[in-house]
Amino acid sequence: MAVAILLVGGFGTRLMPLTKNTPKPMLTVAGIPVTEHQIAMAKAAGITEIVLATSYLSEVFIPYFGDGSKWGMKIKYAVEKEPLGTGGGIRNAAQLLDSDQSVVILNGDVLSSHNLAEQIRQHESHDADVTLHLTQVEDARAFGCVPTDSNGRVTAFLEKMENPVTNQINAGCYVFNPRVITAIPLDTVVSVERETFPHLVASGAKVFGYVEKAYWLDIGTPRALLKASIDIVKRSGEFLAMPGAGIDPTAVITGGSCIGSNSSVGAGAVIDGSIIEAGCVIGPNAKISDSFVATGTEIKNNVKITSSFATNNEILPIP
Ligand code: GDD
Ligand code: MG
């Protein structure tokens, strides 16, 4: 059995203004926070104990997830007063885990349907130091580039390079041997991508790749977040309405849109390919397409919003 740490402390800069009051992992995809999708994924792999490594807007996670019992999990919270980076965040969170089990680390902004249980199994059968989930993308420049040899051993870790040596990338889900975490200094800003992984590879540690090309998406950009939600909603229909959503029968909702819990949609409103978060009021005859409407936003009658972020204070075009 393994335990897990979710890295949810980043600023979510590319998703401003949506991330002004909501940390990126708490933005919803198909009606539930990204973190909740990840908790379900970890649970399916047999994990029952998770630490959320929080920093920016840490106070938002606790009221939603509580002690985790609602999900049949034990959830704890580690808070970094100042962000400690991915490595420092892992080290800080690991203090709440009292075990010698494998530790699964999940970047908090990734949706993946790869076989985590198999990744853990391979890690343990290799007696590896770290096993990284690797996938392939067309343009690797925004990711960690991770070449492997014929045995699956990682030969280099190259974070965000201009001329990628391979399109095989770090998918943001790792299994760590706990002794590797203990070796990270406490209360120090450390990046696993720029320091820990390159150092481990250079020193001959057993760093393996687990290559699986299942559905995978980093939701760190507005287009990706929208795509993730639409993809999931479209698996079961044209749109998704969460519990308590009230939709006028004359409203037209299409393109994998999601209407958050307790939101209302007025008569004649048209919503296409959009995420409406919880507690919003969409006025009669409003037209919203390819857009995000933040939690609790009121959109007035007849307003037209295309490819934008909408909050109560502003409507900004998605870059
Ligand atoms: N607790 C904590 N503290 N979490 C942090 C901190 C911190 O100081 N900094 C970042 N995180 C969290 C973010 O919230 C996010 O969930 C995760 O760590 C990764 O940070 P991003 O800022 O999203 O990194 P990225 O998308 O540019 O690149 C990372 O993910 C790619 C895959 O999506 C890297 O791991 C790449 O190598 C990887 O390819
Ligand atoms: Mg990211």
Side-chain angles (χ1 to χ4, degrees):
M1 190 74 82
V3 292
I5 295 172
L6 253 63
L7 291 170
V8 292
F11 288 113
T13 315
R14 288 169 297 179
L15 290 164
M16 280 293 175
L18 293 182
T19 43
K20 210 162 155 186
N21 302 310
T22 307
K24 173 166 66 170
M26 288 301 286
L27 292 174
T28 63
V29 160
I32 62 172
V34 177
T35 302
E36 195 172 345
H37 287 278
Q38 293 189 307
I39 288 173
M41 188 257 197
K43 190 168 186 211
I47 292 169
T48 56
E49 189 176 347
I50 294 192
V51 180
L52 300 193
T54 69
S55 181
Y56 177 64
L57 295 174
S58 56
E59 65 279 8
V60 178
F61 294 92
I62 302 172
Y64 191 91
F65 292 107
D67 64 0
S69 50
K70 193 173 155 194
W71 290 267
M73 306 285 270
K74 197 163 143 196
I75 299 181
K76 298 179 189 169
Y77 303 87
V79 183
E80 299 151 45
K81 281 203 197 79
E82 294 298 329
L84 291 171
T86 47
I90 293 168
R91 181 67 183 91
N92 184 57
Q95 296 181 97
L96 297 179
L97 294 169
D98 174 29
S99 81
D100 50 6
Q101 302 168 67
S102 301
V103 184
V104 171
I105 313 290
L106 297 167
N107 277 358
D109 61 346
V110 167
L111 289 174
S112 177
S113 49
H114 77 283
N115 187 343
L116 176 56
E118 176 60 14
Q119 182 183 351
I120 298 168
R121 196 197 63 73
Q122 288 192 14
H123 172 82
E124 291 174 352
S125 77
H126 286 137
D127 189 25
D129 290 299
V130 181
T131 302
L132 313 170
H133 173 214
L134 306 178
T135 189
Q136 270 164 18
V137 293
E138 263 171 41
D139 183 355
R141 285 177 300 175
F143 301 100
C145 233
V146 190
T148 44
D149 69 14
S150 55
N151 299 316
R153 283 279 285 257
V154 170
T155 56
F157 193 104
L158 305 152
E159 182 69 10
K160 300 189 180 69
M161 60 189 319
E162 230 352 90
N163 299 299
V165 294
T166 164
N167 62 351
Q168 179 169 279
I169 60 132
N170 167 27
C173 173
Y174 326 122
V175 189
F176 271 68
N177 183 305
R179 67 173 174 259
V180 178
I181 299 182
T182 318
I184 298 173
L186 260 176
D187 299 324
T188 309
V189 177
V190 176
S191 158
V192 282
E193 295 90 341
R194 296 185 190 276
E195 298 168 70
T196 314
F197 295 150
H199 171 76
L200 286 169
V201 173
S203 64
K206 279 185 174 180
V207 182
F208 278 88
Y210 171 73
V211 180
E212 194 188 320
K213 296 167 209 155
Y215 181 86
W216 182 89
L217 207 58
D218 173 326
I219 59 90
T221 66
R223 302 275 165 210
L225 177 63
L226 212 44
K227 178 174 165 21
S229 189
I230 290 169
D231 283 348
I232 296 175
V233 170
K234 279 193 168 168
R235 285 178 202 160
S236 49
E238 205 41 43
F239 75 94
L240 174 68
M242 298 306 290
I247 299 173
D248 188 276
T250 62
V252 179
I253 306 178
T254 53
S257 296
C258 183
I259 312 298
S261 54
N262 304 316
S263 285
S264 66
V265 180
V270 177
I271 300 176
D272 181 54
S274 296
I275 296 177
I276 312 295
E277 300 251 25
C280 295
V281 178
I282 311 297
N285 302 311
K287 290 200 167 35
I288 302 175
S289 63
D290 307 318
S291 296
F292 297 88
V293 179
T295 308
T297 302
E298 188 179 336
I299 304 291
K300 301 243 155 38
N301 307 5
N302 303 309
V303 169
K304 194 172 173 210
I305 298 174
T306 307
S307 217
S308 296
F309 293 115
T311 69
N312 275 324
N313 303 320
E314 55 198 341
I315 296 176
L316 288 178
I318 292 175

